[in-house]
Amino acid sequence: MSTPNRSTHIRLTSHPEPNAGTIKHPIKWGAKDPRERGPIIGTVTNPGDRNVIGAHGGSYSLYRALAISARALNPLTRPDLHNTHPTADIGPHPQWFEPGKIVSLDPWGHLVGQVYADEIAGGLDIRPSIAVTKARLNMPEILAAMSGKRLKADGGFLHESGDISVTKIAVDPVWYLPGIAERFGCTEGQLRRTLFEQTGGMFPELVTRPDMSVFLPPIGNTTVYVIGDVARLSDPRTRIACRVHDECNGSDVFGSDICTCRPYLVHGIEECVKEAQAGGVGVIAYNRKEGRALGEVTKFLVYNARKRQEGGDSAATYFERTECVAGVQDARFQQLMPDVLHWLGIRRIDRLMSMSNMKYEAITGSSIEVVERVPIPAELVPPDAQVEIEAKKAAGYYTPDGAPDAAELDKVKGRDLERF
């Protein structure tokens, strides 16, 4: 068996030279007419039609590759979009076309089957990046709230069984690279180079195809649960309660009590139900950013480091231990989070269930008004999560009692953790 010649030239992309490809279906981000804007085409079966970097399905494209490798999926298969259209009308809203308001998702992603029907019929492999359906949620804590008389069934939003009727929306990320770069205060070139290098060169078109300005990143999506009429979110007369929640599998799914994630999520849902029953609308936006976007492996390593340190787990070193393991205290960076709120047409949130200044500042900094901030009630904080909550208070998180005193801030050694 011969050894490959190490000097052999290997092309970074299917295109022979940088800029040599011609985009047949250009994208004009922010255009009011979806046909003028152009469809997002991440097909891998017809490379000549591609106008984005990456592939449909984001991280799940790898499972698609495995299915094809296992001969369980024909690579030429295309989705039949018949009867998959949204169960609720969303948009278009003015924010879809306001410069810089939406850069991390495709506003037309849920309407692909309708607005690009002719193109799909003509053979283009265009796929939705957003899906809208109806569902019911059921969590034991909601039944407990009903037993405790905090919530009462109404037969519409909340049923006697504890089921909550919701509109459920799944949103895959679609990044407009010039807008992403602007959000993070860097040049588009710097962003492209870093994305290329830090994914081990997984997407060579980031550096070889500057004419492609849209990227389908292999990261988790956002799921939105709306309690009430979605169409009323853009009405300035509608009161809106909102919880923007970052994923925590251990707490949200399995009930681990080392943090306040599931209790705060449930509290947010409860408040959203109350708002809907009072004539408003409740919104839960759930972002897949496990372990402060550092991953569950890193999170568990940090748990070990916190609990094994001399003196045991403490609020004073809560954030420091994460930085020691991961090199950064938090990688969730909320700059892109408000995009889905703009997509829904929201201009004002009357009650925001969050103690995070980072979330609050990202929302208000994107021109969405926040009337009231609602911290997690003290009785909902698990005993093992007291370290977390005290660390966050000392770090400058929002609390109803105001800013922490100097002694508390000294505990975190003067670090600027306010945005976390």
Side-chain angles (χ1 to χ4, degrees), residues 140-418:
E141 292 93 336
I142 297 301
L143 282 171
M146 295 171 71
S147 297
K149 308 301 182 184
R150 297 196 309 275
L151 287 177
K152 183 178 180 181
D154 57 71
F157 304 114
L158 179 61
H159 304 270
E160 292 288 350
S161 62
D163 288 355
I164 304 169
S165 294
V166 300
T167 297
K168 185 163 65 172
I169 307 163
V171 183
D172 277 344
V174 178
W175 286 5
Y176 177 57
L177 292 173
I180 300 290
E182 184 175 354
R183 291 276 181 94
F184 285 89
C186 63
T187 67
E188 183 184 347
Q190 290 170 333
L191 175 67
R192 285 173 173 268
R193 172 58 64 178
T194 304
L195 288 172
F196 171 70
E197 292 175 347
Q198 296 304 312
T199 56
M202 187 183 297
F203 301 99
E205 289 161 317
L206 285 165
V207 293
T208 64
R209 294 300 304 275
D211 54 328
M212 286 185 173
S213 61
V214 176
F215 176 39
L216 306 183
I219 59 175
N221 67 338
T222 297
T223 309
V224 182
Y225 298 85
V226 180
I227 305 170
D229 185 356
V230 180
R232 295 182 57 232
L233 288 171
S234 60
D235 187 337
R237 297 168 295 182
T238 302
R239 281 184 55 87
I240 297 173
C242 179
R243 165 70 182 166
V244 177
H245 189 90
D246 291 334
E247 176 186 28
C248 179
N249 184 58
S251 179
D252 296 342
V253 179
F254 294 99
S256 171
D257 66 352
I258 196 171
C259 61
T260 58
C261 296
R262 182 180 173 99
Y264 217 155
L265 175 61
V266 173
H267 173 61
I269 293 173
E270 185 175 330
E271 293 302 310
C272 284
V273 170
K274 291 178 181 177
E275 196 66 68
Q277 290 178 329
V281 180
V283 177
I284 302 291
Y286 191 91
N287 298 299
R288 304 301 298 273
K289 298 178 182 177
E290 178 62 64
R292 297 187 194 152
L294 298 168
E296 208 167 35
V297 170
T298 296
K299 178 196 284 189
F300 289 5
L301 293 174
V302 171
Y303 286 165
N304 288 345
R306 282 171 49 190
K307 295 191 174 187
R308 288 171 175 165
Q309 64 187 341
E310 185 177 351
D313 198 8
S314 72
T317 58
Y318 177 85
F319 291 102
E320 181 181 354
R321 295 311 298 149
T322 301
E323 186 173 14
C324 288
V325 174
V328 64
Q329 294 166 354
D330 198 318
R332 286 176 295 177
F333 308 116
Q334 302 293 345
Q335 285 93 326
L336 305 179
M337 174 267 291
D339 286 26
V340 73
L341 304 178
H342 291 302
W343 177 71
L344 291 167
I346 294 173
R347 296 282 193 186
R348 186 192 69 252
I349 296 172
D350 295 276
R351 304 187 75 233
L352 176 67
M353 278 68 73
S354 174
M355 291 173 64
S356 168
N357 284 345
M358 178 186 271
K359 292 177 182 176
Y360 171 77
E361 289 166 4
I363 292 170
T364 56
S366 71
S367 303
I368 296 176
E369 178 187 1
V370 173
V371 178
E372 178 187 2
R373 300 172 70 180
V374 183
I376 185 171
E379 63 270 19
L380 295 184
V381 179
D384 204 27
Q386 291 296 331
V387 168
E388 176 203 50
I389 207 71
E390 290 306 315
K392 289 181 176 180
K393 287 180 180 179
Y397 274 65
Y398 167 77
T399 65
D401 300 325
D405 58 30
E408 289 177 309
L409 290 176
D410 285 343
K411 292 180 182 179
V412 290
K413 302 177 181 179
R415 291 180 181 274
D416 178 19
L417 304 181
E418 183 176 285

Side-chain angles (χ1 to χ4, degrees), residues 25-83:
H25 309 280
I27 297 171
K28 186 178 179 181
W29 195 266
K32 292 186 177 181
D33 184 330
R35 290 182 174 276
E36 181 187 0
R37 200 292 302 273
I40 302 296
I41 307 174
T43 178
V44 294
T45 55
N46 293 306
D49 290 335
R50 287 170 53 81
N51 60 6
V52 300
I53 302 164
H56 292 302
S59 58
Y60 290 96
S61 63
L62 299 178
Y63 287 106
R64 183 175 185 273
L66 289 178
I68 293 170
S69 298
R71 297 180 178 84
L73 174 64
N74 182 341
L76 299 180
T77 298
R78 295 187 183 182
D80 178 357
L81 299 179
H82 180 65
N83 280 340

